[in-house]
């Protein structure tokens, strides 16, 4: 039977995420946990489902095991479909040649066959390292109204941060007049969010041309977008007003977690209309002990708290024992903070144990210092002291 | 797997009219995020049973909504899976009353299922039992029927007749009778989990009902056949709670504040308790939150004082509230400065600012679903 999809989403999830250091030594960045119950990839996947997009290709390359297992058949996001649904797309060996994904554009190029299968009119390109809620359908509507070749989601950023982003200038109709990837002297504060909608016929042509250009770095921001602009294609910005955070660094990941806290959090995950879905594992409710103290924190299922938790994000099945103090920190699933241990301004990865009386990251009161990171499966010995800003990773990289 | 599961979801509705006037006993909320039937279903699934029928009788909308396709229990299967078995009437207006009639009502299911064994379970109880072990015992003992019992103290507050058995040295059941003790006694109580050889069950049901249409399962089907068939007793020794009255419901919810009980129910290896997933956000403790000795599910927003309580998914506790010894079911809202003690608030209850409501342990104050107090 021949059927087609109007819009197919392609989610770039293959990057190493090297600026997350120890957190991505064993898992791909999109599989890093976020906000007590989720992994980063839950956000783009849930956004797709909530926007009526039911066909998603997830391009994986780096450390895909946890990510692949997590996505599974896509049922947690309602993406287990008879036709369409979520598909993991690793690099593969072709008859003539085989290659790792060389760049974002090359990754899509190598999967043109997947997209062709659905004969879409539009392709939505997403990243696996952004935290936000967005209705892609609104963006698609605008794309259609403008009869655009390409629409790029645009966010206003502080001018001093603009040089970290793809920066563009828009005319009064929202049409993109200039685009520069990470410019040293940015001309505007209009930043690309790395979310693109392309009309598929145009995209396909440019991807093929780009692949045949040996000088190209095969990147959307550096090659495809500038080339299309140069050729005078109809390219528009889609202005997004809402919370959006690139969690590509330890600091930004920690900040984004902290943005979930407070009476009026910067990022509201409590809005039940656009839920962020996650794979659930059947944890019981959380138990809060008689001497526990919890303030300004969010806590997932199956957690047991007997100690003190302040300004922190505690993921599923974590245990915080008597007398332990966790402050301004993010603790990932299945970790244990033993009796009287102190954890401050830290990110503790999954399945980690902080021994009795150990002190992790204390003294980082100003929070302008580096966040302390403990990698997954680590066992911090009792009574040891891990200084603020340490990247503790003995199992796969050696302690920093 | 040799066995098919069969769960009775309505059988003891009358015990807790407060909670079951709008739902079946199987869909009574329990322990923060569960419904009672989750325990029966998870027990079966964790024991490798992949084909489960749920016998329903009335008010089973909420049950069907909860169980859905059975996906959360991995019961969406090519072979077997989940079967909802609502009442079936061949030109009779009456819906079945007794356990035996209920089973007779699903005779077609019993005939058609290919499994050798049938595991029966009620859904008015909370326990984590490895049914696989019961089945192994059943086979080892070459039994026709295995009766799971729990050696427990009966205090006459069971709200109904309880069957007790006597076993001989070989573990064979030699006597079964109903008991309603005047004073507390310890007895081997039948907890209504049975393993049957399927064809034998079919024959016994037909034979017993042909003699007496309102025959009793325990006394007639089992009791009168003890000398003909090999019935063995299997002692279940883990945590067992029977939800037989509102005060028992209250008490057993509060049992979850005991680590031993929680570990026994929820932290057994490979024996998780599954339930419908709601994708709630994490629970948010705000600046004025003070929570002690409580069991709290996901998606709550807490800005007040909570002690010795069971808080279900999506509950809001406002600033200045003092909540003690209470059960707040899903999506209940307690507005600022309200005080609750020994209260059971059913789903979607709103308690207005400054209200002061109190019951006591053996007579908790129950607030009906969707009420605004």
């Amino acid at each position: 039977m021949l059927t087609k999809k109007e819009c197919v989403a392609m989610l770039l999830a293959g990057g190493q995420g090297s600026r997350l250091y120890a957190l991505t030594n064993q898992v791909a960045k999109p599989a890093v946990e976020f906000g007590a119950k989720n992994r980063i990839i839950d956000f783009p996947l849930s956004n797709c489902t909530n926007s009526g997009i039911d066909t998603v290709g997830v391009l994986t390359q780096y450390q895909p095991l946890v990510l692949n297992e997590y996505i599974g058949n896509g049922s947690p996001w309602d993406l287990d479909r008879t036709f369409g649904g979520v598909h993991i797309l690793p690099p593969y060996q072709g008859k003539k040649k085989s290659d790792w994904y060389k760049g974002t554009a090359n990754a899509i190029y190598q999967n043109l066959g997947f997209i062709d299968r659905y004969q879409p009119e539009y392709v939505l390109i997403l990243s696996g390292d952004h935290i936000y809620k967005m209705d892609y359908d609104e963006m698609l509507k605008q794309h259609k109204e403008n009869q655009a070749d390409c629409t790029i989601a645009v966010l206003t950023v502080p001018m001093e941060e603009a040089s970290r982003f793809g920066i563009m200038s828009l005319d009064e109709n929202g049409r993109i007049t200039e685009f520069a990837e990470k410019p040293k002297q940015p001309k505007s504060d209009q930043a690309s969010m790395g979310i693109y909608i392309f009309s598929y016929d145009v995209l396909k042509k440019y991807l093929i041309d780009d692949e045949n250009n040996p000088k190209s770095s095969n990147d959307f921001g550096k090659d495809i977008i500038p080339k299309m602009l140069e050729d005078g294609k109809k390219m528009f910005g889609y202005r997004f007003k809402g919370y959006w955070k690139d969690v590509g660094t330890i600091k930004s990941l920690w900040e984004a977690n902290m943005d979930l806290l407070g009476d009026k959090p910067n990022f509201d995950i409590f809005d039940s209309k656009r839920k962020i879905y996650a794979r659930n594992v059947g944890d019981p409710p959380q138990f809060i002990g008689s001497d526990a103290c919890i303030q300004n924190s969010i806590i997932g299922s199956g957690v047991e708290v007997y100690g003190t938790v302040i300004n922190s994000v505690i993921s599923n099945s974590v245990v915080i024992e008597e007398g332990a103090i966790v402050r301004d920190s993010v603790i990932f699933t299945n970790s244990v903070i033993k009796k009287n241990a102190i954890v401050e301004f830290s990110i503790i990865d999954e399945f980690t144990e902080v021994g009795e009386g150990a002190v992790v990251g204390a003294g980082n009161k100003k929070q302008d210092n580096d966040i302390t990171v403990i990698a997954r499966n680590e066992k911090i010995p009792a009574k040891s002291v891990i200084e603020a800003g340490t990247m503790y990773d003995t199992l796969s990289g050696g302690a920093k | 797997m040799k066995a098919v599961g069969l769960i009775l979801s309505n059988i003891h509705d009358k015990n807790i009219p407060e909670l079951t006037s709008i739902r079946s006993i199987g869909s009574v909320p329990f322990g923060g995020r569960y419904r009672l039937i989750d325990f029966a279903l998870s027990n079966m699934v964790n024991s490798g049973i992949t084909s489960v029928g749920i016998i329903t009788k009335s008010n089973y909308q909420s049950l069907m909504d909860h169980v859905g396709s059975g996906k959360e229990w991995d019961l969406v299967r090519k072979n077997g899976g989940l079967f909802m078995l609502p009442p079936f009437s061949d030109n009779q207006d009456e819906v079945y009353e007794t356990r035996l009639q209920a089973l007779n009502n699903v005779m077609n299911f019993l005939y058609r299922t290919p499994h050798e064994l049938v595991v029966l379970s009620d859904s008015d109880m909370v326990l984590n039992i490895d049914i696989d072990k019961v089945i192994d015992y059943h086979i080892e003992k070459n039994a026709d029927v295995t009766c799971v019992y729990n050696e427990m103290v009966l205090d006459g507050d069971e709200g109904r007749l309880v069957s007790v058995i006597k076993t001989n040295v070989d573990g064979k059941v030699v006597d079964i009778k109903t008991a309603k003790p005047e004073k507390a006694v310890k007895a081997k109580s039948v907890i209504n989990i049975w393993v049957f050889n399927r064809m034998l069950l079919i024959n016994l049901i037909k034979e017993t009902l042909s003699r007496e249409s309102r025959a009793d399962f325990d006394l007639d089907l089992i009791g009168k056949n003890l000398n003909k068939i090999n019935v063995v007793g299997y002692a279940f020794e883990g945590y067992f709670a029977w939800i037989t009255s509102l005060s028992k419901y209250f008490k057993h919810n509060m049992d979850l504040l005991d680590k031993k009980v929680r570990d026994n129910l929820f932290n057994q290896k490979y024996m998780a308790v599954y339930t419908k997933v709601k994708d709630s956000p994490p629970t948010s403790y705000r600046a004025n939150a003070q929570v002690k000795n409580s069991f709290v599910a996901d998606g709550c927003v807490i800005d007040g004082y909570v002690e010795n309580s069971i808080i279900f998914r999506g509950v809001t506790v406002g600033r200045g509230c003092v909540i003690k010894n209470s059960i707040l079911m899903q999506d209940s809202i307690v507005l600022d400065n309200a005080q609750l003690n020994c209260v059971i608030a059913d789903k979607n209850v709103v308690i207005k600012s400054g209200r002061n409501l109190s019951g006591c342990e053996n007579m908790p104050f129950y607030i009906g679903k969707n009420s605004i107090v």
Side-chain angles (χ1 to χ4, degrees):
Chain A
M1 191 179 70
L2 284 173
T3 29
K4 58 181 279 170
K5 300 279 180 188
E6 186 187 34
C7 183
V8 166
M10 298 295 274
L11 206 169
L12 297 160
Q16 184 180 352
S18 55
R19 287 173 304 151
L20 287 180
Y21 303 100
L23 296 180
T24 50
N25 274 345
Q26 290 163 70
V27 304
K29 182 157 62 171
V32 169
E33 293 191 15
F34 181 82
K37 287 194 73 178
N38 293 99
R39 294 182 191 267
I40 295 170
I41 199 166
D42 288 334
F43 290 82
L45 286 180
S46 302
N47 284 338
C48 281
T49 292
N50 292 336
S51 309
I53 292 172
D54 67 4
T55 307
V56 185
V58 180
L59 298 124
T60 62
Q61 174 157 293
Y62 173 80
Q63 289 284 22
L65 293 181
V66 173
L67 186 63
N68 290 357
E69 191 204 353
Y70 186 70
I71 293 173
N73 69 349
S75 68
W77 306 271
D78 229 358
L79 289 172
D80 52 335
R81 300 299 175 95
T82 325
F83 183 69
V86 67
H87 296 267
I88 307 265
L89 303 171
Y92 56 89
Q93 197 166 27
K95 189 170 180 191
K96 288 195 183 128
K97 59 176 187 176
S98 58
D99 234 328
W100 293 103
Y101 294 149
K102 287 178 287 185
T104 51
N106 175 257
I108 306 294
Y109 170 82
Q110 289 201 37
N111 289 287
L112 286 175
F114 170 80
I115 303 174
D116 281 337
R117 172 80 182 78
Y118 300 100
Q119 305 175 59
E121 277 154 66
Y122 310 100
V123 172
L124 169 68
I125 309 285
L126 301 170
S127 291
D129 51 3
H130 298 159
I131 300 295
Y132 64 112
K133 287 186 182 183
M134 182 170 169
D135 188 349
Y136 303 135
D137 199 37
E138 289 293 316
M139 184 173 168
L140 184 60
K141 255 185 220 153
Q142 191 200 297
H143 182 85
K144 286 190 247 178
E145 277 163 20
N146 289 333
Q147 299 186 322
D149 296 311
C150 170
T151 302
I152 302 178
V154 178
L155 188 78
T156 306
V157 295
M159 205 61 198
E160 61 271 21
E161 283 181 32
S163 59
R164 285 174 42 214
F165 297 93
I167 292 296
M168 60 192 103
S169 307
L170 307 179
D171 70 12
E172 65 276 16
N173 298 321
R175 188 156 174 175
I176 301 170
T177 53
E178 275 183 276
F179 183 95
E181 183 71 15
K182 295 177 185 157
K184 292 213 173 72
Q185 256 102 39
K187 286 185 184 166
S188 87
D189 57 358
Q190 300 296 296
S192 162
M193 296 162 65
I195 299 164
Y196 316 110
I197 291 178
F198 290 97
S199 294
Y200 182 49
D201 48 350
V202 180
L203 175 68
K204 191 170 176 180
K205 177 184 173 299
Y206 273 84
L207 285 176
I208 293 171
D209 288 353
D210 182 68
E211 185 64 17
N212 291 330
N213 176 5
K215 287 179 191 157
S216 172
S217 55
N218 307 114
D219 186 86
F220 275 101
K222 288 182 198 138
D223 305 292
I224 303 284
I225 307 284
K227 186 74 173 59
M228 284 178 75
L229 203 56
E230 196 185 306
D231 293 353
K233 289 288 165 193
K234 286 180 83 177
M235 304 175 75
F236 288 83
Y238 171 77
R239 289 179 198 279
F240 176 74
K241 291 189 186 67
Y243 183 89
W244 179 86
K245 188 120 182 160
D246 179 335
V247 288
T249 64
I250 295 288
K251 183 105 193 294
S252 64
L253 179 65
W254 179 83
E255 282 170 358
N257 273 287
M258 293 300 132
D259 283 341
L260 303 172
L261 305 181
D263 287 1
K264 291 197 173 64
N266 291 342
F267 183 38
D268 186 7
I269 45 170
F270 278 80
D271 170 17
S272 60
K273 281 189 203 112
R274 299 186 75 81
K275 275 186 181 176
I276 301 300
Y277 307 101
R279 185 172 289 280
N280 282 271
V281 288
D283 284 317
Q286 46 194 258
F287 178 74
I288 313 300
S290 297
D291 300 320
C293 170
I294 307 175
Q295 276 172 1
N296 195 38
S297 297
I298 58 171
I299 298 190
S301 327
V303 172
E304 293 183 29
V305 180
Y306 302 95
T308 299
V309 177
I310 296 170
N311 302 335
S312 294
V313 174
I314 312 292
S315 292
N316 298 345
S317 296
V318 164
V319 179
I320 308 213
E321 295 190 352
E322 293 86 350
I325 299 172
V326 176
R327 203 191 286 269
D328 303 291
S329 293
V330 184
I331 317 277
F332 289 176
T333 51
N334 293 303
S335 288
V336 180
I337 313 298
K338 295 284 208 185
K339 280 180 193 156
N340 303 320
I342 297 174
V343 176
E344 288 183 344
F345 292 104
S346 299
I347 298 177
I348 312 275
D349 206 343
E350 300 173 52
F351 296 98
T352 291
E353 183 184 300
V354 175
E356 256 185 70
V359 177
V360 175
N364 188 353
K365 303 289 185 206
K366 287 185 205 156
Q367 55 172 294
D368 54 348
N369 225 327
D370 290 334
I371 300 299
T372 311
V373 176
I374 311 291
R376 61 164 54 207
N377 300 321
E378 294 285 351
K379 276 197 164 48
I380 305 287
K383 301 218 163 67
S384 57
V385 176
I386 309 295
E387 281 182 34
T390 306
M391 197 70 58
Y392 190 92
D393 184 16
T394 61
L395 297 172
S396 60
K400 187 180 109 182
Chain B
M1 188 68 196
K2 288 195 175 83
V4 63
L6 205 46
I7 297 172
L8 292 95
S9 68
N10 279 99
I11 198 89
H12 302 296
D13 282 5
K14 287 178 188 136
N15 282 319
I16 320 178
E18 296 91 340
L19 296 172
T20 52
S21 65
I22 47 161
R23 51 170 83 93
S24 61
I25 188 91
S27 53
V28 166
F30 186 86
R33 70 193 302 252
Y34 303 101
R35 306 278 186 148
L36 288 178
I37 199 166
D38 292 342
F39 296 91
L41 270 176
S42 301
N43 285 336
M44 290 192 173
V45 169
N46 286 334
S47 309
I49 294 175
T50 55
S51 188
V52 179
I54 299 178
I55 302 180
T56 62
K57 179 184 164 191
S58 54
N59 288 350
Y60 51 88
Q61 282 181 8
S62 73
L63 184 86
M64 290 189 67
D65 175 49
H66 178 73
V67 174
S69 64
K71 182 168 117 180
E72 267 96 10
W73 297 267
D74 268 344
L75 283 174
V76 179
R77 297 295 179 103
K78 288 263 175 186
N79 297 306
L82 185 76
F83 298 87
M84 288 304 263
L85 304 168
F88 176 83
S89 153
D90 45 354
N91 296 328
Q92 293 169 358
D93 291 333
E94 285 173 21
V95 176
Y96 62 79
E97 290 290 333
T98 67
R99 181 184 298 270
L100 254 176
Q101 287 167 346
L103 291 171
N104 191 46
N105 183 64
V106 297
M107 197 49 97
N108 272 338
F109 178 79
L110 285 173
Y111 267 118
R112 285 173 54 179
T113 187
H115 307 83
E116 271 175 50
L117 303 175
V118 181
V119 177
L120 300 180
S121 174
D122 284 3
S123 51
D124 64 335
M125 50 195 175
V126 176
L127 78 167
N128 194 334
I129 179 173
D130 188 348
I131 293 172
D132 211 20
K133 283 191 185 146
V134 185
I135 291 172
D136 286 349
Y137 187 78
H138 180 88
I139 293 166
E140 182 197 317
K141 288 279 175 183
N142 206 12
D144 297 316
V145 179
T146 299
C147 166
V148 181
Y149 68 88
N150 181 246
E151 188 125 24
M152 64 195 286
V153 176
L154 296 175
D155 54 10
D157 188 25
E158 280 71 39
R160 62 177 140 91
L161 294 172
V162 172
S163 296
V164 298
I165 57 167
K166 283 193 183 128
T167 53
N168 67 12
V169 282
D170 300 325
K172 194 168 164 10
V173 177
V174 293
D175 185 36
I176 181 166
K177 61 170 190 274
T178 50
K180 191 159 190 188
E182 305 266 301
K183 55 178 187 197
V185 288
K186 204 170 184 192
K188 291 176 176 169
S189 309
V190 176
I191 62 176
N192 297 319
I193 294 176
W194 300 85
V195 178
F196 271 86
N197 289 348
R198 179 170 59 95
M199 288 317 294
L200 176 78
L201 175 64
I202 290 171
N203 293 334
L204 286 177
I205 292 169
K206 287 205 284 194
E207 191 188 301
T208 313
L209 283 178
S210 70
R211 270 187 262 129
E212 158 68 58
S213 70
R214 295 190 61 84
D216 186 79
F217 184 91
D218 294 355
L219 299 183
D220 297 322
L221 186 143
I222 299 292
K224 289 186 179 157
N225 290 303
L226 279 177
N227 49 3
K228 290 184 225 151
I229 55 176
N230 183 20
V231 182
V232 300
Y234 177 93
F236 173 70
E237 281 155 359
Y239 174 79
F240 175 73
W242 232 335
I243 311 301
T244 54
S245 64
L246 195 65
S247 63
K248 286 265 158 88
Y249 174 82
F250 183 79
K251 175 185 179 296
H252 293 311
N253 265 288
M254 293 304 161
D255 283 352
L256 298 173
L257 301 178
D258 179 348
K259 182 163 172 57
K260 270 185 251 148
V261 172
R262 286 199 312 277
D263 283 347
N264 199 299
L265 277 179
F266 302 118
N267 294 341
Q268 292 201 47
K269 230 176 185 179
Y270 314 122
M271 308 235 313
V273 182
Y274 305 100
T275 189
K276 183 180 180 183
V277 168
K278 293 218 181 288
D279 289 287
S280 320
T283 281
S284 175
Y285 293 81
R286 298 286 159 87
N288 303 295
Q290 250 190 302
V291 181
K292 313 265 172 218
N293 195 38
S294 293
F295 204 44
V296 184
D298 287 343
C300 301
V301 176
I302 299 178
D303 205 13
Y305 183 91
V306 178
E307 187 181 0
N308 303 335
S309 294
I310 310 291
I311 312 292
F312 281 69
R313 291 189 275 205
V315 166
T316 305
V317 175
R319 194 166 295 187
C321 288
V322 177
I323 293 170
K324 291 179 179 171
N325 312 309
S326 292
I327 300 169
L328 305 180
M329 290 188 209
Q330 196 180 314
D331 296 328
S332 285
I333 298 174
V334 186
L335 296 170
D336 294 359
N337 303 313
Q339 301 196 13
L340 307 179
N341 182 32
C342 294
V343 167
I344 300 175
D346 208 315
K347 287 174 70 178
N348 291 315
V349 162
V350 177
I351 294 167
K352 289 191 177 169
S353 281
R355 289 279 189 267
N356 189 340
L357 307 171
S358 184
C360 68
E361 278 81 5
N362 57 3
M363 189 69 78
F365 181 59
Y366 172 77
I367 304 168
K369 186 177 173 181
N370 300 329
S371 311
I372 298 172
V373 183

